[in-house]
Amino acid sequence: MRLNYSILIKLLILQYLSVLCLPKDFDFFYFVLQWPGAYCDSKHSCCYPEIGKPTTDFTIHGLWPEYKDGSYPSNCDTNSVFEKSQLLDLMTNLQKDWTSLSCPSSNGFRFWSHEWEKHGTRSESQIDQHDYFEAALNLKKKVNLLQILRIARIEPDDGFYSLGNIVRAIIKDIGHTPRIECNKDSHGHSQLYQIYICVDSFGSEVIECPVPPKGRCASNVQFPKF
């Protein structure tokens, strides 16, 4: 009886995953940029990449396919593995703009592999593996968040800034509303952590988010140094 119950659970899990990965096109991407100062200043420790401390800038967390109903596909093709040999021409920019801060220190391959296998494989209906990573790098160039905020006199100086001013500064530049995600440091301060920007399903153009952006942040958030 216990064996049959175990088999039933596994079948239900497989059915659930198959629904998430139905062969239909996803609707848009979340392009997610992360502030390394908040990642490292939270209760979780961070480790710099093997090549050294990243530059003081937002880094890419991921390019995530999404559906308009708020759900998202993941791990859709277990046969499509991360192939670093396909990304040799992108490697310098990946190491600079899509760095891993998790511990232990790494060369980034594990992080990129995770992002591809969990999120990128669903995008294969539109773009292949090389174009997926290249699209994220191009978006990083197009949306220069640190410059956008600095123009609005919002600096990574451990100061506290109005969440509304941060959102308005980004809207002024990209023309669309971002989603802001905050974390908390060891003192309980709400910090600017991640910014979600919606992009079309080809990973090329910034669009208005089909799903209204939501985030858990205080009305004033800290922009920590890095």
Side-chain angles (χ1 to χ4, degrees):
M1 191 70 180
R2 184 180 298 173
L3 178 61
N4 290 338
Y5 182 76
S6 175
I7 293 173
L8 177 62
I9 292 296
K10 291 178 180 178
L11 289 173
L12 288 172
I13 291 172
L14 288 173
Q15 184 179 31
Y16 173 72
L17 290 174
S18 67
V19 169
L20 289 180
C21 294
L22 286 173
K24 67 173 183 176
D25 288 341
F26 59 96
D27 297 312
F28 67 100
F29 282 110
Y30 272 137
F31 177 53
V32 187
L33 290 161
Q34 177 178 267
W35 180 247
Y39 184 98
C40 293
D41 199 25
S42 68
K43 294 180 180 178
H44 305 287
S45 61
C46 71
C47 293
Y48 295 155
E50 291 177 356
I51 61 172
K53 181 181 179 181
T55 57
T56 302
D57 197 2
F58 284 89
T59 60
I60 299 168
H61 184 170
L63 187 62
W64 303 342
E66 301 283 330
Y67 295 129
K68 289 180 180 179
D69 63 5
S71 65
Y72 61 91
S74 66
N75 299 100
C76 288
D77 186 358
T78 56
N79 294 317
S80 180
V81 297
F82 175 74
E83 294 283 356
K84 64 181 180 181
S85 61
Q86 296 186 25
L87 309 175
L88 296 179
D89 61 314
L90 305 177
M91 201 57 62
T92 298
N93 287 329
L94 283 171
Q95 291 176 335
K96 179 173 70 74
D97 293 330
W98 201 330
T99 58
S100 172
L101 292 169
S102 63
C103 294
S105 181
S106 72
N107 54 19
F109 294 148
R110 185 175 66 249
F111 182 30
W112 303 328
S113 177
H114 166 79
E115 289 299 311
W116 170 251
E117 291 169 10
K118 182 175 182 180
H119 301 287
T121 51
R122 185 62 192 92
S123 70
E124 286 180 299
S125 62
Q126 301 283 23
I127 51 180
D128 62 22
Q129 185 170 154
H130 179 277
D131 290 348
Y132 171 81
F133 285 96
E134 186 175 42
L137 292 171
N138 288 338
L139 287 166
K140 173 69 169 56
K141 294 177 184 176
K142 181 180 290 190
V143 183
N144 190 334
L145 276 181
L146 187 59
Q147 178 177 293
I148 290 169
L149 295 178
R150 280 179 163 163
I151 289 172
R153 298 183 178 180
I154 299 170
E155 298 274 354
D157 56 5
D158 282 343
F160 287 81
Y161 295 92
S162 163
L163 180 64
N165 287 345
I166 292 172
V167 172
R168 283 188 288 272
I170 297 172
I171 293 174
K172 183 178 179 180
D173 188 90
I174 70 173
H176 300 288
T177 305
R179 171 188 170 190
I180 309 295
E181 180 183 355
C182 296
N183 66 356
K184 289 186 177 181
D185 66 7
S186 57
H187 302 289
H189 297 143
S190 182
Q191 295 185 320
L192 182 62
Y193 174 43
Q194 295 196 131
I195 297 179
Y196 293 61
I197 294 168
C198 291
V199 180
D200 66 21
S201 60
F202 293 98
S204 59
E205 298 297 328
V206 176
I207 62 172
E208 194 63 31
C209 289
V211 180
K214 297 179 181 179
R216 296 180 180 179
C217 294
S219 57
N220 288 287
V221 299
Q222 186 182 40
F223 197 1
K225 293 178 180 178
F226 181 66

